[in-house]
Amino acid sequence: MYRFLFSSKWLGYFVLAVIFATACVFLGRWQMDRRAETLAEINRVVSNYSATPIPYAEIKNQFDSLDPEREWTQVQLRGSYDLDGQRVVRNRPLNGQPGYDVVVPFRLTTGEAVVIDRGWLPIGNNTPGRPDVVPAPPTGQVTVVARLKPAEPKLDRGAVDGQLASIDLASFASELPYPIATGAYGQLASEDPAVQPMPTPFPKPATEEGTHLSYSLQWFAFGVLMFIGFGYAARQQARNAAIDAEDEEDEQIIAAGGTPKKRTPAPRKNKRATSEEEEDAILDAQGY
């Protein structure tokens, strides 16, 4: 009954089903990998974002080479801002609004220097390509609490004087007359003494998992449904072939002067199924 499955047409259908299902599995696994990355980031935020700040001396090695598990860790630093080294970083959208980040070298009392991202500024209205005002950091000795963030890669685009294309610390260091840590920077959480005005503080990162799990399950389901659809089509083809065989047998019986067997009509795909009463009426009208 199902020997037609070995025909070239149905083998082609099967190959297409396998290819489609394989693609669905690949996409489902890709969504699962993205979910794993999202969960890892959420765990880092939950564990580190609001934890007690760690003194710089205990974690200073992270500014040279940041362990991904240490991202968002709060660090307490004591020193002073270098206003002459202040830069704005271009193309930094926040909540869908274009703008800039303000980064300032922070020279610790121990003699080392790190970069602090003090916050966000909207695009300016007075001079194209620049913020209207860049708030100055507090002067003198300052106690800063900042969250660790990894250095960003260098971008293949330039920036005007006083601006950076990204928080590429190695390139930034080349513009300063003293060395700075180039493995990580600090995203400002608080500073004492505080000053006004201030750049807009950064919001807490989202801790929602998102839709990766539901998307992955949908892709896996699509792959399974492809084979279910293939099986249904094959079953329907077999039923139609069986009906055609019965019709041919009846025609041969009638041609030989016999009476065909009365059968309950089976619905055929894409053909209107007649009721049993309609079938009996047809047979009676034909004299059977």
Side-chain angles (χ1 to χ4, degrees), residues 98-116:
Y100 309 85
D101 280 7
V102 183
V103 293
V104 192
F106 189 79
R107 307 193 70 172
L108 289 94
T109 56
T110 57
E112 294 126 318
V114 300
V115 172
I116 301 297

Side-chain angles (χ1 to χ4, degrees), residues 94-95 100-102 117-122 135 197-203:
L94 180 66
N95 297 327
Y100 309 85
D101 280 7
V102 183
D117 187 344
R118 296 190 67 236
W120 180 84
L121 297 174
M198 276 282 295
T200 302
F202 296 104

Side-chain angles (χ1 to χ4, degrees), residues 49-126:
Y49 191 85
S50 299
T52 302
I54 300 173
Y56 171 79
E58 298 179 15
I59 201 171
K60 63 181 181 179
N61 64 306
Q62 295 297 322
F63 281 92
D64 295 319
S65 179
L66 180 61
D67 180 351
E69 295 304 315
R70 287 288 201 171
E71 186 177 0
W72 301 112
T73 297
Q74 295 201 105
V75 183
Q76 187 178 66
L77 311 98
R78 180 72 177 170
S80 60
Y81 286 110
D82 176 16
L83 183 58
D84 292 337
Q86 179 172 268
R87 303 287 190 274
V88 294
V89 187
R90 300 170 58 85
N91 300 312
R92 311 296 285 198
L94 180 66
N95 297 327
Q97 299 295 318
Y100 309 85
D101 280 7
V102 183
V103 293
V104 192
F106 189 79
R107 307 193 70 172
L108 289 94
T109 56
T110 57
E112 294 126 318
V114 300
V115 172
I116 301 297
D117 187 344
R118 296 190 67 236
W120 180 84
L121 297 174
I123 60 174
N125 297 316
N126 298 330

Side-chain angles (χ1 to χ4, degrees), residues 16 34 68 70 94 130 136 139 203 218 280:
L16 289 176
R34 293 191 63 190
R70 287 288 201 171
L94 180 66
R130 295 181 183 273
T139 59
Q218 288 176 20
D280 290 338

